[in-house]
Amino acid sequence: MNGRCVITVGDLGEFGIVARIAGRLPQSGAVLLGPGDDAAVVGAPDGRVVVTTDMLLEGRHFRRDWSSPYDIGRKAAAQNLSDVIAMGADPTAIVVGLGLPSDVGTGWLDDLTDGFRDECDLVGAGVAGGDTTRCDLVVISVTALGDLGGRAPVTRSGARPGDVVAVAGRLGHAAAGLALLESGHEGLPGPDGRRRDDPRRDDPRRDGRAEPYGSDERREDGVAGLVGAHRRPRPPYPCGPQAAALGATAMLDVSDGLLQDLGHVARASGVGIALDPGAFTVTPEMERVARLLAADPLDWVLTGGEDHALAATFPAEVRLPPAWTVVGRVTGGEGVQVSGRTVGQGGWDHFRM
Amino acid sequence: MNGRCVITVGDLGEFGIVARIAGRLPQSGAVLLGPGDDAAVVGAPDGRVVVTTDMLLEGRHFRRDWSSPYDIGRKAAAQNLSDVIAMGADPTAIVVGLGLPSDVGTGWLDDLTDGFRDECDLVGAGVAGGDTTRCDLVVISVTALGDLGGRAPVTRSGARPGDVVAVAGRLGHAAAGLALLESGHEGLPGPDGRRRDDPRRDDPRRDGRAEPYGSDERREDGVAGLVGAHRRPRPPYPCGPQAAALGATAMLDVSDGLLQDLGHVARASGVGIALDPGAFTVTPEMERVARLLAADPLDWVLTGGEDHALAATFPAEVRLPPAWTVVGRVTGGEGVQVSGRTVGQGGWDHFRM
């Protein structure tokens, strides 16, 4: 231990970190053998396993002064679990690779771990294992696994002319929240380093488990909810396997913006997609923030990428549950059209300078 | 494209990189749905899947001036596949998260990809997918999956007094090679940036597939072979599932040094382990290098961590195949003893400064 008041991950050492993380993770869900061995063992009753991986870098995908460690953990897990449900599978487990600066406090690591755990709890998945190493910046690599439960995986290539295009989950909220943060108008941390609107700020139940999905609606009302949407996406988890069971012909999670992501579906399926801009929901809060920032809220809806909504195509005769909103249809031809005009590929490309 | 002669990953952009990587990866092994969708699908016929993840950082786990990108890819895959076989499972697939500086050349990326692919080829696994993002240093996060084929996973906690301790694979070679590199005596890159002893240096078959396991014995003769052992470990892949089938009571891959790793087995199993130092192989090359560097080659054998040998405990009556060498026995008590003296935990701990 060094002379500072805060115990850091550098004080713990690699094995101490692993033990500390493992101590906060109950064996759960499909995890048959958890952290502590060369590898974990996870149930795969279908006989196939869905697997996806994403790497998040400090400064590029999150900022430690804009998001709490708990939110960062929730978000890192969410964006991978979202990729699993977008195949029509039920998430079973994640494993996490962590690069951490030596001066990161153990409380920060605990909160991050709780974020992974609580997001996984929402879908009955477990944190099966991981790896830590010292790094000058925080690097988080999450790999998520899922089980198809006998269903065929829903890929990007099955859309057919005549199908409807539908979305589930929020669109444009995270983009509006990020725009607010970038403008300096809202949600910057207070002098204690905690966010002014952090619901866990004064919560003595540091080990409290996740609230059921959706029960935090109330405190996400209003403009602060848009910033919250950037910090902590809420993918529509039940809708992925549901869509597969309903016969979705193509599906993906909206991670780079709806236009760009539907462009992937159009290309992979060899079809065109026509969207009706009037079908999208723009909330009064998004309108307010858009006026404040002189922005067009529909831009956020069509090109914002971090809400992890689902977009899917369905045969026209499928009766869709209320969580799904029809926003367009699959056509012959190619590309994505909005109000009859073909649009470019607005969206994120992390490699462009 | 920019004005330089070398096309970089920054020129390609994220989707260009993914397409380029995917183009070098044949669908293989248990990979049922490969790169290009939200997630991959991998066969898991056992109904359970073994999963492990490791993060490798430039400067900490490899140096671009000491290892070719091909070797870095081979090594990153090998150290994860080794964790899978150490559970007694057959590797099925890896997924890879890549953080890459924008100025990395596409040829470098191609060679790295080929390294992942060829190492996976050795065990019949495939590269199922991945994620790339821009980063100031090269970060490689590999997650490997495996299938138990009906066998029970071999953990660290099943060793019983009376068992024998055996190892398969090389010990101390990589540590000797690293010591050579650090001393400046051998294997530094030539003026063309390629290593003097790189067997692929003048090889026109850039897309040539991997040689069968072990066929590169000849060119790994001598001192250069020790440097090669650091750059490209050769885990004894067939020995993991073999040990499980033979009834191994505990097993792990030696990644932090034999003493430290057997310490994990002793602690998890609640036993002691007594090693016979005379049972280990020290090659004439290791003796030569040790004399050159005034080092003790047995230190490399007992504390060197990057050869990814397997260490396992077996009931004394098990007849071990020739790949396994008995080096000690499981006792009552605790800790690891060498020649009757209890030893400290020599080995790597990436978080200690």
Side-chain angles (χ1 to χ4, degrees):
Chain A
M1 193 180 301
N2 62 24
R4 287 163 294 179
C5 293
V6 174
I7 300 177
T8 68
V9 297
D11 298 322
L12 290 182
E14 184 175 354
F15 296 115
I17 293 171
V18 169
R20 190 172 181 110
I21 293 174
R24 302 183 82 82
L25 299 174
Q27 199 91 341
S28 66
V31 180
L32 306 173
L33 179 69
D37 228 292
D38 290 69
V41 182
V42 175
D46 176 86
R48 299 167 295 176
V49 61
V50 167
V51 56
T52 182
T53 193
D54 264 328
M55 185 179 285
L56 289 84
L57 302 179
E58 178 175 10
R60 178 161 298 276
H61 301 96
F62 61 87
R63 283 176 52 162
R64 277 195 271 169
D65 56 342
W66 280 3
S67 293
S68 72
Y70 182 76
D71 284 347
I72 293 168
R74 292 282 298 257
K75 184 172 183 165
Q79 75 178 57
N80 281 277
L81 297 172
S82 175
D83 280 326
V84 169
I85 63 157
M87 303 302 290
D90 294 299
T92 51
I94 66 170
V95 292
V96 180
L98 282 180
L100 294 174
S102 285
D103 62 355
V104 164
T106 52
W108 196 94
L109 177 66
D110 290 345
D111 286 352
L112 181 76
T113 304
D114 291 355
F116 293 138
R117 179 197 66 199
D118 289 354
E119 191 71 22
C120 284
D121 256 8
L122 295 179
V123 293
V127 183
D131 178 48
T132 66
T133 193
R134 186 152 57 87
C135 186
D136 290 338
L137 75 169
V138 177
V139 182
I140 302 173
S141 179
V142 177
T143 300
L145 306 180
D147 192 79
L148 285 161
R151 297 178 293 274
V154 184
T155 68
R156 301 174 174 188
S157 59
R160 295 164 308 183
D163 287 351
V164 298
V165 178
V167 295
R170 305 187 294 194
L171 284 170
H173 289 229
L178 180 60
L180 264 173
L181 283 170
E182 288 176 339
S183 74
H185 279 88
E186 186 78 11
L188 296 177
D192 59 351
R194 287 270 188 174
R195 299 176 346 230
R196 289 193 299 273
D197 59 341
D198 188 340
R200 303 175 81 243
R201 187 179 177 181
D202 302 312
D203 186 350
R205 296 169 295 113
R206 286 284 298 279
D207 286 324
R209 308 308 301 274
E211 64 279 12
Y213 173 69
S215 73
D216 53 349
E217 282 291 354
R218 190 186 49 75
R219 66 168 191 253
E220 291 231 348
D221 278 353
V223 169
L226 298 176
V227 174
H230 161 73
R231 292 192 176 119
R232 196 192 297 178
R234 294 193 293 148
Y237 290 123
C239 296
Q242 178 188 60
L246 286 168
T249 51
M251 182 158 55
L252 44 60
D253 99 305
V254 180
S255 52
D256 293 313
L258 185 67
L259 295 183
Q260 184 162 333
D261 285 320
L262 286 179
H264 298 319
V265 170
R267 224 172 357 265
S269 299
V271 298
I273 285 177
L275 296 178
D276 170 12
F280 294 97
T281 303
V282 174
T283 65
E285 288 73 27
M286 291 169 74
E287 296 277 15
R288 255 182 69 203
V289 172
R291 275 195 304 275
L292 182 71
L293 304 179
D296 181 348
L298 195 60
D299 279 352
W300 292 328
V301 169
L302 293 177
T303 67
E306 294 193 299
D307 289 300
H308 297 284
L310 287 175
T313 57
F314 296 91
E317 65 273 17
V318 171
R319 199 188 177 97
L320 291 175
W324 291 91
T325 303
V326 173
V327 295
R329 59 194 173 77
V330 180
T331 66
E334 58 179 21
V336 180
Q337 292 196 325
V338 179
S339 305
R341 286 185 305 130
T342 300
V343 293
Q345 295 187 12
W348 288 88
D349 187 339
H350 293 305
F351 264 89
R352 304 283 178 206
M353 290 299 204
Chain B
M1 194 178 301
N2 62 23
R4 288 162 294 180
C5 293
V6 175
I7 301 176
T8 68
V9 297
D11 298 322
L12 289 181
E14 185 176 353
F15 296 115
I17 292 171
V18 170
R20 189 171 182 111
I21 293 175
R24 302 183 83 82
L25 299 174
Q27 199 92 341
S28 66
V31 180
L32 306 172
L33 179 69
D37 228 291
D38 290 70
V41 182
V42 176
D46 175 86
R48 298 166 296 175
V49 62
V50 167
V51 56
T52 182
T53 193
D54 265 327
M55 185 179 285
L56 288 84
L57 302 178
E58 178 176 10
R60 176 162 299 276
H61 301 96
F62 60 87
R63 284 176 51 163
R64 277 195 271 167
D65 56 342
W66 280 3
S67 292
S68 72
Y70 182 77
D71 284 347
I72 294 169
R74 292 284 296 259
K75 183 172 183 166
Q79 76 178 57
N80 281 278
L81 298 171
S82 175
D83 281 326
V84 169
I85 63 156
M87 303 301 291
D90 294 300
T92 51
I94 67 171
V95 292
V96 180
L98 281 181
L100 293 174
S102 286
D103 62 357
V104 163
T106 51
W108 196 94
L109 177 66
D110 290 345
D111 285 352
L112 181 76
T113 305
D114 290 355
F116 293 137
R117 179 197 65 199
D118 289 354
E119 191 70 21
C120 284
D121 255 8
L122 294 179
V123 292
V127 183
D131 179 47
T132 66
T133 192
R134 185 153 58 86
C135 186
D136 290 338
L137 75 168
V138 177
V139 182
I140 302 172
S141 179
V142 176
T143 300
L145 306 180
D147 191 80
L148 284 162
R151 296 178 293 274
V154 184
T155 68
R156 301 174 175 191
S157 60
R160 295 165 307 183
D163 287 352
V164 299
V165 179
V167 295
R170 306 188 292 194
L171 285 170
H173 290 230
L178 180 60
L180 264 173
L181 282 170
E182 288 176 340
S183 74
H185 278 89
E186 186 78 11
L188 297 175
D192 59 351
R194 288 270 186 174
R195 300 175 348 229
R196 288 195 298 274
D197 60 341
D198 187 339
R200 302 176 82 245
R201 187 179 178 182
D202 302 312
D203 186 350
R205 296 168 296 115
R206 286 285 296 281
D207 287 323
R209 308 308 300 273
E211 63 279 12
Y213 172 68
S215 73
D216 54 351
E217 282 292 353
R218 192 187 48 75
R219 64 169 191 253
E220 292 229 347
D221 278 352
V223 169
L226 298 176
V227 173
H230 161 72
R231 293 192 176 119
R232 195 192 299 178
R234 294 193 292 149
Y237 290 123
C239 296
Q242 178 188 60
L246 287 168
T249 51
M251 182 157 55
L252 45 58
D253 98 305
V254 181
S255 52
D256 293 313
L258 186 67
L259 294 184
Q260 183 162 333
D261 285 320
L262 285 179
H264 298 320
V265 170
R267 226 173 354 266
S269 299
V271 298
I273 286 177
L275 296 179
D276 170 12
F280 294 97
T281 304
V282 174
T283 65
E285 289 72 28
M286 291 169 75
E287 295 277 16
R288 255 181 67 202
V289 172
R291 275 195 304 274
L292 182 71
L293 304 179
D296 180 348
L298 195 61
D299 279 352
W300 293 328
V301 169
L302 293 177
T303 66
E306 294 193 300
D307 288 300
H308 297 284
L310 287 175
T313 57
F314 296 90
E317 66 273 17
V318 171
R319 198 189 177 95
L320 292 174
W324 291 90
T325 303
V326 173
V327 295
R329 60 195 172 77
V330 179
T331 66
E334 59 179 22
V336 180
Q337 294 196 324
V338 179
S339 305
R341 286 184 306 130
T342 300
V343 293
Q345 295 187 11
W348 289 88
D349 188 338
H350 293 305
F351 264 90
R352 306 280 177 206
M353 293 298 204

